[in-house]
Amino acid sequence: MSDDIDIRSGGAIAVDTDRLRAGARGCREVANRLDELQRSALHEAVQLTARLTLGGVVPRVWAIAWRLQRAAHEAAALAQRLAHLATVYEIVELDVARRAARGEDARRVELRLRELISGDPAAATDAQGIEADWKTGGIDAVAGQYSAFGVAFGLGGAATVGGVVRGMGTLIDTVGAGTIPRSAVLAGARQPVRLRRLDGPPHHFTPPASLQDAASRIPRGDARVRVEKYAMPDGSNRFALYVAGTNTKGGAREAWDWDSNLELYGGRRSASFDATEEALRAAGAEPGDAIYEFGHSQGGMIAGHVALEGGYDTRALVTFGSPTEAQVDAGTLSVQLRHTDDPVAALAGGGSAGRVGAADSVVVQRFADPAVGVGDIDLASHHLDTYEQTAALFDRSDDARAGAVRERLHELRGAASVQAFDFAVERVSPK
């Protein structure tokens, strides 16, 4: 397993442009100060040389002057590079915004793009390259992994498998699948489901302290949905929702089956979505209540649709290996964990190029299982346990956005009481 994580503000946005520009300003200030010191050292070296000062002092002063000059040039070059990258990523963000902008907003975006490109023409080319790599990177990684598996184990058609996967990526990009627009509403009639609350010993009666802690609460056994109800001192209620991924062994009454996967990915209601809505209502959630959502795989798709059309105040939407990205608004902290070798996560087509959600929203990526082996067939890179490891790596990172996630989870602390509801679900009419 790999411990290297890539933390981004969006699919193609690796860093925050404001922070980049702040870094560029800081480097320019350092370069200017080094220039001043270099001039002082050079002046002193000339004075000492003119006085024919003996000993090793003069060579050392000259050496210091040249080192200061080199350091000043390096700091200035770094400042220029950071400013260039800030322009590149802002162009990517604006390019995304331009597609959705109308009227005066569209004109403002266009003017800003022209201003940036006129000041740094090379940035436009680099931005195009970043967007192109973002669109194909995830699919290419998965295709390469499965092609390598076929070659390593002497299976015929390895190249064909890679080609099929890449063709799927092209299709996803062409039809716009993999992202759930903000205005999306699932089509179709409700599907009858039966919920059964599972009795068990009290557990997890404190808010999740970290992303790994939250991931560990996503149901793995008989339960499909877990809801935690937090009664706050001011009389309001907040809810944490945890939604499981696909279950392939549940039989004809299983609501979290492949039928639900295909329905949700195609924009239609599923038994699993309807069951999740019922679970929230059974736990006492009402429209307008604050909700914090966590979902793995199919559960990520469900959580995304709940966030967009459930009528709740979605404070956080965290998905692990979801095949879709919900384009939530600026009031929702969006946290997406994706493994670049996870074929399910690749169905999201890289998601949006720009940032989705609140200012500190983040996409955390990792090549979870670079070794070629049976794990590729078992989809080890898609397992919730593997994503839990990635969550732990993000929790331990010094990235400021990891702190923002902890702060959002901290909003659940201070509850007067906490209740937990674990629900098993079955279809009323088996398929």
Side-chain angles (χ1 to χ4, degrees), residues 17 20-21 80-94 112-113 115-117 119-124 127:
T17 53
L20 273 179
R21 289 202 168 89
Q80 185 176 13
R81 178 61 179 162
L82 290 174
H84 173 75
L85 286 174
T87 300
V88 169
Y89 287 121
E90 186 174 353
I91 288 173
V92 174
E93 289 178 330
L94 289 169
R112 180 58 177 163
L113 275 170
E115 178 185 356
L116 290 171
I117 294 171
D120 187 355

Side-chain angles (χ1 to χ4, degrees), residues 398-416:
D398 58 3
D399 192 284
R401 289 162 292 191
V405 173
R406 287 190 291 271
E407 288 178 12
R408 190 59 60 101
L409 295 177
H410 191 74
E411 294 174 1
L412 291 170
R413 295 195 175 275

Side-chain angles (χ1 to χ4, degrees), residues 35-291:
D35 270 335
E36 293 173 4
L37 292 173
Q38 190 267 344
R39 286 194 294 270
S40 296
L42 187 60
H43 176 76
E44 191 64 27
V46 170
Q47 293 296 317
L48 290 172
T49 302
R51 291 199 297 268
L52 299 177
T53 302
L54 301 178
V57 175
V58 173
R60 285 199 294 271
V61 174
W62 277 106
I64 290 171
W66 297 129
R67 286 173 185 167
L68 286 168
Q69 183 182 54
R70 184 167 64 248
H73 288 166
E74 290 174 352
L78 180 57
Q80 185 176 13
R81 178 61 179 162
L82 290 174
H84 173 75
L85 286 174
T87 300
V88 169
Y89 287 121
E90 186 174 353
I91 288 173
V92 174
E93 289 178 330
L94 289 169
D95 191 41
V96 174
R98 177 170 56 180
R99 297 166 195 164
R102 299 290 184 272
E104 188 59 33
D105 287 341
R107 284 188 287 273
R108 278 197 296 269
V109 169
E110 194 64 40
L111 285 172
R112 180 58 177 163
L113 275 170
R114 291 177 184 175
E115 178 185 356
L116 290 171
I117 294 171
S118 65
D120 187 355
T125 302
D126 289 348
Q128 288 176 347
I130 286 173
E131 288 200 64
D133 290 343
W134 153 70
K135 284 183 178 180
T136 61
I139 289 292
D140 284 348
V142 172
Q145 185 81 348
Y146 283 89
S147 294
F149 176 86
V151 171
F153 288 86
L155 302 178
T160 302
V161 172
V164 169
V165 173
R166 289 186 176 90
M168 287 176 59
T170 301
L171 179 62
I172 291 168
D173 182 51
T174 301
V175 303
T179 57
I180 309 174
R182 196 171 299 173
S183 59
V185 176
L186 289 170
R190 290 182 176 274
Q191 300 187 30
V193 292
R194 183 179 296 114
L195 271 63
R196 175 171 57 90
R197 185 175 177 185
L198 300 176
D199 295 323
H203 59 290
H204 287 318
F205 272 43
T206 58
S210 66
L211 207 58
Q212 181 186 20
D213 188 3
S216 72
R217 303 184 188 199
I218 295 175
R220 289 170 168 80
D222 292 336
R224 295 291 175 266
V225 184
R226 176 181 173 88
V227 183
E228 294 170 351
K229 180 180 180 180
Y230 295 81
M232 308 307 291
D234 64 0
S236 66
N237 292 316
R238 297 180 180 181
F239 296 85
L241 171 68
Y242 307 89
V243 192
T246 304
N247 181 35
T248 59
K249 301 176 182 178
R253 291 190 180 273
E254 177 58 60
W256 264 252
D257 57 8
W258 275 102
D259 286 342
S260 289
N261 263 327
L262 295 172
E263 286 164 347
L264 287 167
Y265 195 73
R268 299 188 61 80
R269 300 186 73 91
S270 70
S272 55
F273 174 78
D274 290 332
T276 301
E277 286 201 316
E278 285 195 26
L280 282 166
R281 288 193 293 270
E286 298 179 354
D289 284 339
I291 186 172

